[in-house]
Amino acid sequence: MTRVLIPTRNRPSSLLSVVRFLERFYPETRVIVADGSLEDFAKANKAAMESADRSLDIEYRRYPYDMPFFDRLLDVLNGLDDRNIIMGSDDDFPLMDALARAEAELDACPPAVTSMGAILAFSMWKPDDLHASLTVSRAIEGPNARWRCAMYGQWPFSSTYAVTRREHLIERYVRAREIFLTGFFDFGVGLHDAAAGGIAGVPEITFIATRNYNHSYLRPLGSLHFLRRSDDVMRLVNYCVEDLMAFDGMDRAEAEGHARTLFHRKITGIQIGSRSAFETTPYAMDPIIIAQRKSYEAILRVGTAERDKYVDRLTHVIRAMQDAAVSSDNRTDAARVESLDEQMRDGQRLAPEEAAITKEPANLTNPTSFLKHVDTEKVAWKSDWGERVHVLALGQSNLANHGAGPLRAAKGAALVKGETVPLADPVPGGSGTGASVWPIVAEKMAASPNVGELLLSLRAQGGTSIADWAPGGFCYEALEKELIEIADGPQPPTYIVWHQGEADNRKGTSAQEYEDRFAELHNLVSMHIPTGLWIVCRASLRMGSAAPEVIAAQEAIIERYDNVIAGPNTDVLTGPFRSDGTHFSEAGILAFADLLHDVIRNRIALTVQAGVLYKNILDLRVRQRAQRLKMEAQQRAQLKDAQKA
């Protein structure tokens, strides 16, 4: 079983409760305690570790109080040869069975550097008031570092308490030794994880975290602390730049542009950890997150199998929180400090016997009373698929308002300058004053089960070539200014529909030139919308003639990118489907709408099926991992017997 590394500081009661938790529920766990406490606290910690059940393999290491926190961790990690380590805490409770599953997923995903599930958090900020909330996690995977960092930056989460490659942890804490900034540490860690290889995810809860009203915590002192610590923020930005250069091969100027965008999003608070904001993102439909949320809901509901499975663990944790609240834990420390240096100075200023912090007793008569205090603003409850599908549509006239036939309106909305307006021809954001495909697509989506309502961001301009959508082109420059607004609107785009090529038929653009310029557009959009799935149409027909070079380029693009799928081939819509040999007639609009709707509908169905398949694969990996752990335990037992003999 993978070792758990628990750093501790002045919290003997909490540390002991974590050890007792592991003794009772996961007795074969291997633990290393890295203690940087003051002398009296350290004595209590050592005595507690010596009294621990022999079923636990505990290695207790005492460090000088003035030894910096990250130096402690590095001293432990550099002395081990383990491939993976579980990072823990003296007031958080690891669910080792779920973490074994996370490690199996990490082993199955060699590029990834860390793996985790959700975190169930209990917060007791008053003696008689306990809240429960859920922090979800997800897999951060992708073809390159810029893609993974952009995906993480869209909706970041803490990846600290997880199963992590030991070598990666060493690199993480070497960096942290140089710069630790509250409010940005988790963000910097997550970006580093994403750049270095990615984050694997499992659909389970892997940690129970606790916070109480009498413990000391590292927290920013004010919302503008990043201005006071601007030099530290810039050092973190520079680390991100170096990662993008090292892991992605980007030049410095491009890497700096990407890093600035990521930290701009962080500083301006674009990621809002509320239920309403989360529900509008594509992540709410992630199979892993849906499973995490369902597990959380079941745990907090009496009478479920999930509740019965965890009730003893939950009761232990809540009682441990009550004990910690009235213990000597952190009695020398300020309730809130902003830096590790300040934290250390507090302990040096106040000896334990001189501290005068009043410990108000907890008053939770029923350990499971938290059921009526669920923080619904920090957990998304709904797990229905397809409430709304946001499409960003890019291209030229046949994606805009240049079609023949009646102007239509339909259920759905268009996103214009951050505001939603009813969807009706001519659709804002597209050139032309005629009919478009979009109201018909919206009607079909609304009528299809599990698909949902259409939200459309249309950016299509008649007569534009691929060069106009590449750097230096007017469409590229306009889109570059608008993408942040589009990505951070009421809901990030789920799909990016690309339908363009008729102008390149006229210009005689080569396949290679088309591919190269599309790659630059793809990079721009992916930076802001990393989770969007591209639907690339085959489109080149002009005046009744197709362009083989353009079609070849579009087919190569579909094969080249992991996040691109084939859209409709509209070059087959000839004759009566065109009003002038180029633009769609009413029959052409209806046919294109059918084809486009089918692609979206089928993709959503495949996503649901993929979630089921993914769970089955994880189940298999967990069984394989369990068999391996059993064999290792048997081998250790045989070795002990041989040594006794």
Side-chain angles (χ1 to χ4, degrees), residues 126-161:
K126 298 178 183 178
D128 60 350
D129 197 12
L130 183 66
H131 287 251
S133 62
L134 185 73
T135 300
V136 296
S137 68
R138 65 188 193 281
I140 303 294
E141 302 169 342
N144 52 48
R146 77 184 74 185
W147 176 275
R148 296 189 298 269
C149 287
M151 177 181 273
Y152 177 81
Q154 284 279 325
W155 197 276
F157 55 93
S158 173
S159 57
T160 300
Y161 299 113

Side-chain angles (χ1 to χ4, degrees), residues 239-365:
Y239 272 130
C240 183
V241 171
E242 296 295 332
D243 281 345
L244 289 169
M245 293 172 63
F247 294 111
D248 203 78
M250 300 172 69
D251 62 43
R252 180 168 291 276
E254 187 180 11
E256 286 177 348
H258 281 264
R260 282 196 300 270
T261 298
L262 291 166
F263 277 83
H264 171 265
R265 295 176 64 85
K266 167 66 176 174
I267 291 170
T268 55
I270 287 172
Q271 302 87 11
I272 304 171
S274 68
R275 169 184 169 180
S276 58
F278 183 83
E279 284 292 345
T280 65
T281 71
Y283 312 117
M285 291 170 53
D286 188 311
I288 290 179
I289 290 179
I290 288 175
Q292 291 170 354
R293 290 154 60 186
K294 285 184 175 179
S295 177
Y296 172 77
E297 182 179 11
I299 285 174
L300 299 185
R301 192 171 65 241
V302 176
T304 65
E306 197 85 353
R307 168 63 170 241
D308 293 342
K309 175 183 175 181
Y310 285 103
V311 67
D312 290 342
R313 293 169 176 79
L314 302 180
T315 302
H316 177 104
V317 170
I318 295 168
R319 286 175 175 161
M321 293 178 69
Q322 293 174 291
D323 293 341
V326 296
S327 71
S328 64
D329 287 4
N330 286 148
R331 70 173 180 266
T332 64
D333 304 308
R336 185 175 180 178
V337 293
E338 191 171 80
S339 72
L340 293 170
D341 289 341
E342 291 175 54
Q343 188 183 64
M344 191 175 298
R345 284 196 298 271
D346 283 337
Q348 293 170 333
R349 185 177 67 249
L350 292 174
E353 62 273 10
E354 296 172 343
I357 297 176
T358 301
K359 295 284 187 177
E360 187 177 2
N363 186 30
L364 290 174
T365 55

